[in-house]
Amino acid sequence: MKINISLLWMAAFCLLFSGCSNYRELNELGVIIAMGVDKNDDPKQPYRVTYQVINPSGLSQTNTSGGQGLAVINYTITGKTLIEAFGKAASVIPRENNTTHLSLIIIGEELARNDLDLIFDGLDRGKYSRVSIPIFIARGETAKDVLGVIEPLEITPGKNIISTTQNNQKLYGSSTEVLAYEIIASLLSEGKDVSLPGISISKASQKGKQTGNLETTNPTTIKVKGLAVFRKGKLVRWLDGETARAAQFVTSKVKNTPVVLPCESGNVTINTIGVKSKMLTPIHHEKPVIHTNINVMGELLETSCELNLSDPIVLKEYEKKMEKELKKQIKRTISITQKEKSDIFGFGDALSRTNPVYWRQNKKNWDNLYSDAQISLKVHVEIINSGLRMEPYEAK
């Protein structure tokens, strides 16, 4: 019995004197959920950093009374480096800065055209940094302006950007999330360049930064727009539409996407449900060959032509048509990156693994070798489903 009493006293002592030493009340923290980095006009303070901080009272109002308060507040700071800007933010954010919930980083296009290296050095080396954060490029905009849009469907702009990008990846495939550590790996690699998703503002206006944006059926919104192509850490051009999507075919990042093919009196739409690609860089006559082998499974989901879809010969015909169309799109995309001498796919990395001797001898000249390399494509399409209806609707 005495032993049991002693144990109870010890337990009570532990409860009284233990706890979370780093515990903070929510109203003591400035929880930063998004960060935008832009080029500043003052060369002495080259970075303009916008921190998006959760407003707990506004978040509560948004959840309970249909958006009567703002869920976030933006603070903009300039500095010589990102770490200095983070420190200087303490002079305007009235709560302890906290980046544990940082969900995305947006980089302004003007800054991206200068250099990414210095930005990611701070993200990788900094004490409070996390490298599992998705990165986006503000296309034709500043990161500050993008983070200033008051979104009608999502509580915060950051949540909207991530949700829209993920939705695009699932249903069209021209964009995909790229995390900070992937970019750092590409910047350090000698055989792969960076590519990043672009975002922009539709109907850019001052109203998009005001609560009035919530009171219209046609509001200002943030949209996914293109794929940014980099060379040696600098943005050199954009890929759009089918060319941006074709880049994702090469890297197997496409999930579902509709491919529209012409028929006699209209179009046939085949939706991919599985894409697997393999990149190789064989050496032919001492020169590399850019080779991609892509296998695609699809479903024929729509047609405006009179086709007998129960006939396997008809399905084979459209498999061949789709193979031809995808080859054309992918070859055009690879050719564009060759002109820019930007290996965003990682063919150089593939070569370094399969032929390390050749790579060591030629890696310093990879830009030119990639630019002049022959393209070899193999695309195999299999249509595994043509829907519940075998015959199209007949015109009355």
Side-chain angles (χ1 to χ4, degrees):
M1 188 67 180
K2 289 182 179 180
I3 294 175
N4 290 339
I5 292 173
S6 299
L7 289 173
L8 287 172
W9 276 108
M10 290 175 65
F13 181 84
C14 290
L15 288 171
L16 287 171
F17 291 95
S18 65
C20 298
S21 60
N22 61 346
Y23 173 80
R24 297 288 188 279
E25 291 286 350
L26 184 59
N27 60 8
E28 297 175 356
L29 292 177
V31 180
I32 298 170
I33 60 168
M35 185 171 79
V37 188
D38 290 305
K39 181 179 180 294
N40 191 35
D41 292 334
D42 183 359
K44 294 181 180 179
Q45 303 282 318
Y47 295 106
R48 185 179 66 188
V49 185
T50 300
Y51 297 100
Q52 189 161 92
V53 181
I54 283 287
N55 176 18
S57 58
L59 188 63
S60 174
Q61 291 176 20
T62 300
N63 288 335
T64 59
S65 58
Q68 297 302 311
L70 294 178
V72 292
I73 301 172
N74 291 347
Y75 297 92
T76 301
I77 309 296
T78 60
K80 296 184 184 72
T81 66
L82 294 186
I83 302 303
E84 183 191 46
F86 182 74
K88 289 170 69 175
S91 62
V92 293
I93 301 177
R95 297 175 181 176
E96 181 182 335
N97 297 355
N98 184 289
T99 59
T100 55
H101 293 278
L102 183 63
S103 60
L104 84 162
I105 296 173
I106 304 172
I107 299 171
E109 181 172 347
E110 187 178 1
L111 180 60
R113 290 189 179 277
N114 289 337
D115 205 345
L116 288 184
D117 289 2
L118 295 177
I119 298 174
F120 285 92
D121 183 85
L123 291 176
D124 191 25
R125 196 188 304 271
K127 180 180 178 182
Y128 304 102
S129 300
R130 289 169 52 233
V131 292
S132 58
I133 304 169
I135 311 295
F136 300 86
I137 303 297
R139 182 173 183 178
E141 315 282 352
T142 65
K144 179 183 177 182
D145 286 341
V146 172
L147 288 176
V149 175
I150 298 175
E151 271 294 326
L153 285 183
E154 297 289 359
I155 295 175
T156 67
K159 178 67 169 64
N160 177 76
I161 291 166
I162 292 173
S163 298
T164 304
T165 304
Q166 291 173 345
N167 200 36
N168 178 285
Q169 184 177 2
K170 291 176 184 176
L171 299 177
Y172 188 69
S174 66
S175 182
T176 184
E177 279 188 354
V178 181
L179 305 183
Y181 72 83
E182 297 176 276
I183 301 169
I184 293 168
S186 296
L187 290 171
L188 295 175
S189 170
E190 294 174 298
K192 186 177 182 181
D193 284 297
V194 176
S195 62
L196 287 173
I199 52 174
S200 67
I201 303 172
S202 67
K203 293 172 52 187
S205 68
Q206 188 62 31
K207 189 176 180 179
K209 303 177 184 179
Q210 300 170 353
T211 54
N213 200 44
L214 305 175
E215 300 170 354
T216 174
T217 57
N218 191 22
T220 296
T221 58
I222 300 170
K223 63 180 180 180
V224 173
K225 191 177 181 182
L227 186 69
V229 175
F230 288 76
R231 179 172 180 257
K232 297 186 181 301
K234 296 181 180 181
L235 196 160
V236 291
R237 72 164 294 153
W238 290 91
L239 299 178
D240 286 294
E242 291 178 350
T243 54
R245 184 178 64 174
Q248 312 296 351
F249 268 101
V250 176
T251 54
S252 299
K253 291 182 179 179
V254 168
K255 294 183 179 180
N256 295 314
T257 188
V259 178
V260 180
L261 304 171
C263 56
E264 287 184 5
S265 58
N267 294 298
V268 171
T269 304
I270 300 171
N271 196 63
T272 67
I273 57 174
V275 176
K276 181 178 283 188
S277 68
K278 185 176 182 181
M279 292 185 296
L280 299 171
T281 317
I283 304 301
H284 184 66
H285 296 309
E286 293 301 312
K287 292 185 177 181
V289 177
I290 303 304
H291 178 75
T292 306
N293 192 357
I294 302 175
N295 292 298
V296 180
M297 285 196 301
E299 298 176 315
L300 198 156
L301 296 184
E302 182 182 13
T303 177
S304 55
C305 300
E306 294 186 12
L307 301 175
N308 180 11
L309 300 180
S310 62
D311 185 352
I313 295 177
V314 173
L315 294 183
K316 286 291 181 184
E317 177 187 347
Y318 279 90
E319 286 176 351
K320 297 301 180 185
K321 283 187 177 183
M322 186 169 172
E323 289 172 1
K324 184 178 180 181
E325 177 62 24
L326 289 179
K327 277 185 180 180
K328 182 180 72 174
Q329 294 179 16
I330 292 167
K331 187 171 183 178
R332 181 168 66 240
T333 300
I334 294 176
S335 295
I336 289 172
T337 64
Q338 286 183 301
K339 289 178 182 177
E340 300 293 345
K341 298 185 177 182
S342 173
D343 180 8
I344 61 173
F345 308 105
F347 285 105
D349 274 350
L351 177 60
S352 69
R353 292 189 296 270
T354 57
N355 198 331
V357 175
Y358 181 90
W359 176 252
R360 283 196 298 270
Q361 294 172 346
N362 295 276
K363 63 182 179 179
K364 293 187 182 301
N365 191 36
W366 177 242
D367 290 352
N368 295 319
L369 289 172
Y370 176 72
S371 179
D372 296 332
Q374 177 187 347
I375 300 174
S376 171
L377 291 177
K378 287 186 180 179
V379 179
H380 175 72
V381 174
E382 182 180 2
I383 299 175
I384 62 172
N385 184 14
S386 58
L388 299 177
R389 185 179 181 88
M390 291 294 103
E391 296 179 358
Y393 290 101
E394 293 184 3
K396 301 294 186 182

